[in-house]
Amino acid sequence: QVQVVESGGGLVQPGGSLRLSCVATGDIFRINAMGWHRQAPGKERELVATIITGGSINYADSVKGRFTISRDNAKNTVYLQMNSLRPEDTAVYYCNADVRTIWGRNMNVWGKGTLVTVSP
């Protein structure tokens, strides 16, 4: 079993900052990639940022220059530093991990999400 758990969401004013964290636990042999997606009310889930083992990083155009994804490999943790937040960043943010388990199985695991609300 592999689980990912997000934390760090909350209410912030426009222009403010938040830092999300996500930790992966369980029968992990190797994490291939971790990332963040978000889903705003009435919209489809969309990619925010991903970081692949080896260093490749991708961002959605809408967050480039404002959000930074980073990873602590020793802790199986990924972070999303969000600066200059806008009301349109309001969404449930989901963590995703692509892992290989100690049993040789490849899994793609999602967290339950953490709500980020950007409002005056």
Side-chain angles (χ1 to χ4, degrees), residues 89-108:
D89 294 318
T90 295
V92 178
Y93 284 70
Y94 297 91
C95 179
N96 172 261
D98 184 88
V99 306
R100 186 165 184 85
T101 71
I102 60 175
W103 313 110
R105 180 184 175 190
N106 292 318
M107 297 182 66
N108 192 269

Side-chain angles (χ1 to χ4, degrees), residues 2-19:
V2 176
Q3 294 181 330
V4 294
V5 178
E6 307 96 336
S7 62
L11 174 65
V12 62
Q13 293 185 342
S17 299
L18 277 177
R19 188 192 194 207

Side-chain angles (χ1 to χ4, degrees), residues 34-96:
M34 294 186 79
W36 294 92
H37 292 66
R38 67 186 181 186
Q39 187 166 18
K43 295 187 177 181
E44 295 186 353
R45 190 175 297 189
E46 62 175 0
L47 172 71
V48 176
T50 60
I51 183 165
I52 299 172
T53 299
S56 177
I57 292 175
N58 294 291
Y59 293 99
D61 288 342
S62 59
V63 306
K64 284 181 180 177
R66 301 188 298 124
F67 290 11
T68 302
I69 189 171
S70 61
R71 190 170 137 187
D72 185 331
N73 293 326
K75 296 180 179 180
N76 287 342
T77 299
V78 66
Y79 305 96
L80 186 68
Q81 178 66 43
M82 306 186 292
N83 299 328
S84 302
L85 282 161
R86 305 167 180 168
E88 53 264 39
D89 294 318
T90 295
V92 178
Y93 284 70
Y94 297 91
C95 179
N96 172 261

